[in-house]
Amino acid sequence: EAQVTQNPRYLITVTGKKLTVTCSQNMNHEYMSWYRQDPGLGLRQIYYSMNVEVTDKGDVPEGYKVSRKEKRNFPLILESPSPNQTSLYFCASSFLGRGPGRDEKLFFGSGTQLSVL
Amino acid sequence: AQKITQTQPGMFVQEKEAVTLDCTYDTSDPSYGLFWYKQPSSGEMIFLIYQGSYDQQNATEGRYSLNFQKARKSANLVISASQLGDSAMYFCAMREGRWTGNQFYFGTGTSLTVIP
């Protein structure tokens, strides 16, 4: 089954304790990205990657790191989490063609609800 | 400037009625795609419908249709014959073309409540 697998689903941590949210896709997608969702703000892009070893900042990259060592994996790292990073996080992936086109729609993981105390 | 604007934070519709969710976009790229996603209370993001900038006809997918007005830069989602299961958050999104970076932009969403 084609899917984006994101773990964990829920995470409660304390300020300053490094954490990693994993993301893996089995569709051989070139494009992967991370979003955070906050009430009234919609989905805001944190980082994205067009291919292996190629990553770029989105709209809200401060406090986050990513890496793309393999095509299928795109982990999100919070080196020193703070309470303002409490949010719902989504990983997403898509095919990159000549597009844009319908085939280039984003596939989403099930989300990670993060609480930083 | 906002790439995607959804001006209706919340909407109510009577069951079996039609409802239109507004979306306007801003881009200078002639090649772009517009997407609508549904997020029910369970949290997952579900793709609903796609409209390409060069598509001549409005997209339709079952009860969903997209009212695409290119000159006005609007891409409103129309849900016909609303059902209770349509109660959810709806996001409009745009993907720009290769020349402007292939990026996805999302609006702030519209919360739709279907009333029995």
Side-chain angles (χ1 to χ4, degrees):
Chain A
E1 181 191 352
Q3 60 185 2
V4 178
T5 303
Q6 191 180 331
N7 283 299
R9 184 74 178 88
Y10 300 95
L11 181 57
I12 301 174
T13 189
V14 295
T15 299
K17 186 175 181 182
K18 180 179 178 180
L19 66 90
T20 299
V21 184
T22 62
C23 175
S24 179
Q25 50 92 6
N26 63 359
M27 295 168 279
N28 202 35
H29 284 165
E30 295 85 1
Y31 184 93
M32 297 187 75
S33 59
W34 278 100
Y35 297 87
R36 61 178 288 175
Q37 182 181 0
D38 301 290
L41 297 177
L43 279 81
R44 294 180 293 167
Q45 191 175 59
I46 303 170
Y47 270 95
Y48 65 95
S49 170
M50 297 283 197
N51 215 327
V52 176
E53 302 291 1
V54 179
T55 62
D56 271 301
K57 295 178 180 178
D59 295 322
V60 287
E62 295 78 20
Y64 305 95
K65 282 177 58 177
V66 293
S67 67
R68 187 97 181 267
K69 294 185 170 61
E70 304 163 288
K71 197 171 185 179
R72 62 182 294 128
N73 296 324
F74 192 45
L76 179 70
I77 302 158
L78 284 72
E79 295 268 1
S80 182
S82 62
N84 65 12
Q85 293 177 299
T86 292
S87 187
L88 176 60
Y89 291 85
F90 284 101
C91 178
S93 72
S94 78
F95 167 68
L96 268 186
R98 294 188 180 181
R102 193 180 193 278
D103 289 346
E104 294 182 318
K105 65 180 181 285
L106 280 174
F107 289 79
F108 283 86
S110 52
T112 296
Q113 181 64 58
L114 172 65
S115 295
V116 183
L117 306 177
Chain B
Q2 290 288 335
K3 289 280 190 179
I4 296 286
T5 302
Q6 293 181 257
T7 57
Q8 305 155 314
M11 289 280 286
F12 292 87
V13 64
Q14 204 76 38
E15 195 178 5
K16 300 191 180 108
E17 297 291 311
V19 63
T20 298
L21 307 184
D22 294 342
C23 173
T24 57
Y25 59 91
D26 182 32
T27 182
S28 56
D29 195 325
S31 177
Y32 53 90
L34 298 157
F35 302 78
W36 278 91
Y37 285 84
K38 173 184 178 181
Q39 185 182 41
S41 57
S42 52
E44 72 265 33
M45 296 288 285
I46 301 167
F47 166 75
L48 294 179
I49 196 167
Y50 167 81
Q51 180 85 44
S53 59
Y54 295 118
D55 293 344
Q56 295 297 310
Q57 295 194 335
N58 287 342
T60 60
E61 296 271 357
R63 292 186 300 111
Y64 304 108
S65 61
L66 205 152
N67 184 0
F68 181 46
Q69 297 189 40
K70 196 169 181 177
R72 292 187 171 186
K73 293 190 174 178
S74 75
N76 299 338
L77 177 69
V78 180
I79 306 174
S80 63
S82 296
Q83 302 171 355
L84 295 178
D86 293 334
S87 292
M89 183 72 81
Y90 289 81
F91 290 99
C92 179
M94 174 178 66
R95 179 162 228 172
E96 290 183 315
R98 298 178 80 85
W99 302 113
T100 39
N102 268 309
Q103 286 317 297
F104 258 99
Y105 301 94
F106 283 83
T108 51
T110 295
S111 177
L112 177 66
T113 303
V114 180
I115 304 165

